[in-house]
Amino acid sequence: MDEHLSRIFHPIGSGPQCREGVIFAIFAFSTCGSYSGMFKMSVECKNRTESDLGIEVEFEYPFRLHQVYFDSPTCKGGHKERLFLVGDYSSSAEFFVTIAVFSFLYSMAALSAYCFVLEKYRENCKGAQIDFVVSAVFAFMWLVCSCAWAKGLSDVKTATDPERVITLITACDEEETRCHEVHEPKVSGLNTSVAFGFINLILWIGNLWFVFKETGWMAAISGTYVPSQEKQPAPDAFAQGGYAQQDPYAGSQGGYQPEYGQQGYNEEGGYSQGYEQQPQPTSFANQM
């Protein structure tokens, strides 16, 4: 059972886990790194000719929102003002994608090692020990980057909320101007990227136990590892005389052992002292 589970989770010791690591890493960085979204707002001025009912704002990875701008009407003589979104969340997003890419590359290297140099990997414990250290580092990095990106995504959602962006438009402060959102950004892909980040975290944490069992550290800690064992000497019964010198039926508590030289049974009744004390007939005639 443990061997079967190890073949599922162990990154170098099994091909299935390598494929899983590659797949989940691809999903993680592709759903985040390839994202582009858009939301739409409407500004209706008192003078309808100055209104803009379809202001589109597009943003994408790496979410440097402070560089994203749009033009909004001022409702004053047809003039427009250029406004920028608020926030720069590129650090958490790029960190998340970077860890996903390196995880993908390591999983590919592990899969190659499984296919081509598996026997060399299992010759000693050094390969497993290096694998354990790298897996621990990746597990920790997945924890950090997933949490950081989850917080960054929450900030991105807030910064790209059309109702919040409307508050940046000067014309919307006037009572005669009506401003409202037309289309919200779809962030389901970004939510999926966070989910895959934590899935990778669980996957790499699960690897640590199976890799640890191959490092040899468990046997060293528990003291169960014995480098060599001396051959035990043979028992005295076999070394000194074999089976011939010991009769299993000759013990003091053994079976029935009659002594034919000391007692016997005669016709007059009772036991005699032995068969040799009973007179033997010389012929049939003498007995008659």
Side-chain angles (χ1 to χ4, degrees):
M1 183 65 179
D2 291 341
E3 182 180 358
H4 176 70
L5 293 176
S6 179
R7 289 182 174 275
I8 296 177
F9 288 102
H10 187 199
I12 287 185
S14 79
Q17 191 281 336
C18 297
R19 293 193 296 268
E20 291 175 2
V22 170
I23 293 173
F24 285 120
I26 290 175
F27 285 158
F29 70 74
S30 62
T31 52
C32 180
S34 62
Y35 177 82
S36 62
M38 181 270 295
F39 62 92
K40 185 182 294 187
M41 301 175 296
S42 174
V43 178
E44 186 177 353
C45 302
K46 182 179 180 180
N47 186 358
R48 299 297 180 86
T49 59
E50 299 176 355
S51 302
D52 191 346
L53 304 180
I55 302 175
E56 295 184 355
V57 182
E58 297 181 355
F59 62 98
E60 61 184 5
Y61 174 85
F63 307 104
R64 294 187 177 94
L65 301 182
H66 67 288
Q67 299 178 357
V68 178
Y69 62 88
F70 62 95
D71 295 329
S72 173
T74 58
C75 298
K76 295 179 180 179
H79 298 287
K80 291 189 176 183
E81 61 177 348
R82 176 160 292 182
L83 301 174
F84 289 83
L85 299 181
V86 179
D88 182 7
Y89 309 102
S90 60
S91 58
S92 58
E94 290 177 340
F95 179 46
F96 180 82
V97 172
T98 300
I99 296 301
V101 171
F102 277 104
S103 177
F104 165 77
L105 295 177
Y106 180 76
S107 298
M108 289 296 296
L111 183 60
S112 300
Y114 172 75
C115 295
F116 300 107
V117 292
L118 180 60
E119 296 300 329
K120 185 176 181 180
Y121 167 78
R122 292 180 173 176
E123 286 180 357
N124 50 47
C125 296
K126 292 183 179 179
Q129 293 171 358
I130 295 174
D131 185 20
F132 178 82
V133 173
V134 175
S135 298
V137 171
F138 270 108
F140 176 75
M141 288 301 177
W142 274 115
L143 173 63
V144 175
C145 73
S146 297
C147 293
W149 174 228
K151 177 61 171 63
L153 177 56
S154 177
D155 295 336
V156 169
K157 291 179 180 179
T158 302
T160 56
D161 186 3
E163 294 183 355
R164 184 180 181 88
V165 177
I166 285 175
T167 60
L168 302 176
I169 302 175
T170 305
C172 295
D173 296 334
E174 299 179 2
E175 296 181 356
E176 298 177 351
T177 305
R178 293 185 298 178
C179 302
H180 60 275
E181 66 177 62
V182 178
H183 179 71
E184 292 183 352
K186 295 180 179 180
V187 292
S188 58
L190 298 179
N191 294 332
T192 304
S193 67
V194 174
F196 277 114
F198 285 104
I199 289 175
N200 278 281
L201 170 63
I202 296 174
L203 179 65
W204 286 96
I205 290 178
N207 291 340
L208 294 178
W209 169 247
F210 298 102
V211 180
F212 180 74
K213 293 195 300 183
E214 297 187 4
T215 58
W217 293 335
M218 179 182 295
I221 293 174
S222 61
T224 57
Y225 176 72
V226 181
S228 61
Q229 296 181 355
E230 296 181 357
K231 185 177 180 180
Q232 299 295 332
D236 295 339
F238 299 100
Q240 296 179 0
Y243 294 97
Q245 294 184 0
Q246 184 175 1
D247 187 359
Y249 301 101
S252 60
Q253 298 179 356
Y256 174 71
Q257 302 176 6
E259 296 179 358
Y260 298 100
Q262 296 181 1
Q263 63 181 5
Y265 183 78
N266 56 17
E267 295 181 356
E268 285 77 6
Y271 289 91
S272 65
Q273 296 297 322
Y275 291 105
E276 68 277 6
Q277 296 179 4
Q278 185 177 1
Q280 300 294 331
T282 57
S283 65
F284 180 78
N286 294 331
Q287 287 183 351
M288 293 299 291

